[in-house]
Amino acid sequence: MANILTLLIFTLVSLSSACHKHDHQTLLSIMNSFPPNSFPATWNSSSDCCNWDYIQCNATTGRVDVLQITDNAGIAGPIPPSISRLSALQFLILRDLPNVVGSIPHQLLRLRNLQFLIISNTSVSGAIPSFLSKFSSNLLAINLNGNKLSGPIPASLGDLASLSLLYLSDNQLSGSIPDTLFRKTKVSHIQLDLSDNKLTGDIPKTFDDRKFITVNLANNQLTGDASVLFGKSKLVSDIILASNKLTFDLSKVEFPVKSLDRVDISHNEIYGRIPSQIADVAGLQYLDVSYNRLCGKIPKKLAQFNSSFFAHNKCLCGAPLPSCKQEM
Ligand SMILES: *[C@@H]1O[C@H](CO)[C@@H](O)[C@H](O)[C@H]1NC(C)=O
Ligand SMILES: *[C@@H]1O[C@H](CO)[C@@H](O)[C@H](O)[C@H]1NC(C)=O
Ligand SMILES: *[C@@H]1O[C@H](CO)[C@@H](O)[C@H](O)[C@H]1NC(C)=O
Ligand SMILES: *[C@@H]1O[C@H](CO)[C@@H](O)[C@H](O)[C@H]1NC(C)=O
């Protein structure tokens, strides 16, 4: 009797967590769209797919809510549109798959529960599709770092109401940064990384009221004024703008006092002085202003930093650089 009960309970428990049969079928069709034996041996059609590598299921419903395929050079070919049949999916993560190619399929838009779309370090190419803007307000993060994407950043991405993370670094994106980005975002912890692309034009003035915590625009061809990213009362921690063609007067910038941690504005054409107000930034860990056209005495607080962070400017002086020749 006890044995039968145990068996019954065991069966019920495993039934409740077993992989949903539609998801099971879909996963097999995803596997079969890639070369034979490229998936781990756990992807065995007669076992519970909730126990397979790359998969997590909701324990109550048995629906697949995480598909995370990573670090597998055997997986070669385009992203299968059939992924869109995993309708409970919240996390789609395709990372370090050097032989995944082709464009981002529009069928992914059927994933109405998707929160994190991560396609990173693959050979996916083509444009960043404007249909991404049609995802539901469940979508929190888009990470397309390290692919072969080209063309402009769609202005419509600004329509995503819950987007708080947009990483498009290390692609071949061109054109200017749309001033609509994060226009509808209500969240106040925005992370933006557009570094290592071929972006041109000015940093949008509309970024003044975006609640960034990190901004990385390094290694592009951006011009003009970056002072909208600064401001005494902002809560940004990292501002990375190295290796662009930015030209503005740093003397007029007020540094965020509460949160600022890392600033890299090296390799630009920034002029003026380093404002003495920087002494009010309590938590500053890193400041690189090298290779610009700055001048004047370095504020005392910065004497602790490596002199290489101030090198190759027009006429910066004082510790950690040699002392100023006359009072400045
Ligand atoms: C699949 O799993 C079943 C049950 O665990 C096992 O008997 C079978 O040998 C496995 N098949 C392969 C191809 O690994
Ligand atoms: C699992 O699914 C149920 C029913 O849809 C839902 O209420 C619950 O929040 C889900 N659990 C997790 C951890 O997502
Ligand atoms: C990209 O993926 C390849 C293959 O898995 C890996 O060797 C490499 O370290 C990854 N590159 C980055 C920048 O993560
Ligand atoms: C300063 O930076 C240079 C170049 O990055 C490095 O070689 C040197 O070790 C650093 N010095 C100190 C004291 O950290």
Side-chain angles (χ1 to χ4, degrees), residues 75-88:
I75 294 183
I79 299 172
S82 54
I83 288 179
S84 64
R85 299 205 300 260
L86 297 172
S87 59

Side-chain angles (χ1 to χ4, degrees), residues 257-274:
V257 289
K258 286 203 188 114
S259 54
L260 199 62
D261 180 38
R262 290 173 64 84
V263 179
D264 187 348
I265 56 172
S266 66
H267 295 270
N268 280 288
E269 290 156 32
I270 300 165
Y271 55 91
R273 307 164 68 102
I274 303 175

Side-chain angles (χ1 to χ4, degrees), residues 71-73 95-98 121 170:
D71 197 14
N72 187 331
R95 180 183 280 147
D96 301 342
L97 304 171
N121 192 20
D170 194 12

